[in-house]
Amino acid sequence: MSIDRELIKRSGSKCELCTSTENLKVYTVLPTQKGGLDESIYACTTCIDQIETPGNEDLNHWRCLNDSMWSEHTPVQVVAWRMLSRLRSAGWPQELLEQMYFDEDTLAWAQATGEGEEDENKIIHRDSNGVILEHGDSVVLIKDLKVKGSSMVAKQGTAVRNIRLDHENAEYIEGKVDGQTIVIITQYVKKT
Ligand SMILES: [Zn+2]
C-alpha cells in the first residue's frame, strides 16, 4: 500500500493534529531515518502552513494539540511536542508539554529541529490571532469582559491604548478602560 493510503487509513481521513477533513496531505516529520509511515503524518494544509512558517501561528487553532498530543502514533506526538515548544510562552502549551514523556530516541528526534530553544526563558504575549503584543500597543476587546472586583463590564469592541505587558504571565496584559486600569487576558484581544 502506498504511504498516502496507509496514512488515510491510519488517520481515518482526518488531519492527525486538528481533525480537519479538508486539504489533507502527507507531511514528513524531519529529519527522517527510514522515512515511511513511522516518520510521516497526515495533516491539513492549515496545520502544515503554520508548522512551516514560524511566527504566523493561530494560537487557538493549536488548542487541538490538547487531544492530538495523546495520539498513539509517535510522529504525531513529535509534531505536537514541537508546536507546543514553539508556543510555550503562551502558558497553556507549556503545561501540556510537561505532561508529555518520550523515550530518549524520540526526544532526540523531537528536539532535532531546535524548536522552542531560543524562546525558552522569554515570555511572549500574543493576541487572539497569535500576533505578538508589545508594550504600548493598542488592542480591541473581542468580547464583553467582566472587570474583576467591580460591577463594570468592558464592552466588546472597546479600544485599549498603550497596553502594558505582565512580565510574569504571557496571558495577561494591563490597560485603561474608562480611566481604570484593568487586567485583560490576551486571548480576548486583537491588536489594532
Ligand atoms: Zn490540521
Side-chain angles (χ1 to χ4, degrees):
M1 217 189 305
S2 73
I3 184 149
D4 294 63
R5 295 184 60 158
E6 294 256 27
L7 280 173
I8 288 168
K9 197 170 147 217
R10 182 175 88 186
S11 66
S13 295
K14 288 185 186 133
C15 174
E16 290 184 284
L17 298 170
C18 77
T19 72
S20 167
T21 54
E22 286 173 11
N23 302 318
L24 300 168
K25 60 182 192 183
V26 176
Y27 176 74
T28 305
V29 185
L30 298 172
T32 59
Q33 297 202 334
K34 299 169 299 226
L37 200 58
D38 292 338
E39 296 179 349
S40 306
I41 65 170
Y42 206 46
C44 72
T45 52
T46 304
C47 284
I48 294 172
D49 286 349
Q50 294 187 46
I51 290 167
E52 292 181 338
T53 322
N56 276 337
E57 297 86 1
D58 170 0
L59 200 52
N60 280 330
H61 177 81
W62 293 104
R63 294 263 177 191
C64 63
L65 297 175
N66 208 355
D67 293 320
S68 46
M69 65 183 266
W70 302 110
S71 165
E72 60 182 294
H73 305 294
T74 308
V76 180
Q77 297 167 11
V78 164
V79 174
W81 186 94
R82 288 179 183 170
M83 289 311 290
L84 290 171
S85 296
R86 189 190 296 177
L87 303 170
R88 68 205 301 166
S89 61
W92 60 264
Q94 177 67 35
E95 286 169 29
L96 295 181
L97 265 183
E98 286 165 8
Q99 299 172 42
M100 295 188 88
Y101 296 96
F102 284 155
D103 61 41
E104 218 174 297
D105 289 349
T106 308
L107 185 62
W109 182 23
Q111 289 174 333
T113 55
E115 202 69 80
E117 275 175 11
E118 67 275 23
D119 290 341
E120 201 161 4
N121 298 310
K122 208 165 126 195
I123 289 188
I124 297 175
H125 295 69
R126 293 174 186 272
D127 76 1
S128 54
N129 295 319
V131 176
I132 293 177
L133 296 170
E134 285 168 4
H135 191 86
D137 276 344
S138 296
V139 298
V140 60
L141 305 183
I142 59 167
K143 61 175 268 181
D144 288 357
L145 300 176
K146 272 198 182 140
V147 179
K148 229 180 168 182
S150 84
S151 57
M152 181 178 146
V153 174
K155 289 279 183 203
Q156 179 180 353
T158 301
V160 184
R161 289 187 187 83
N162 197 17
I163 59 163
R164 291 170 171 278
L165 309 177
D166 181 328
H167 292 293
E168 307 286 346
N169 191 322
E171 296 199 271
Y172 294 139
I173 58 172
E174 280 181 15
K176 273 191 179 169
V177 173
D178 291 341
Q180 192 183 336
T181 300
I182 63 170
V183 174
I184 308 165
I185 298 175
T186 50
Q187 64 175 300
Y188 297 134
V189 305
K190 198 173 79 181
K191 184 166 164 167
T192 54

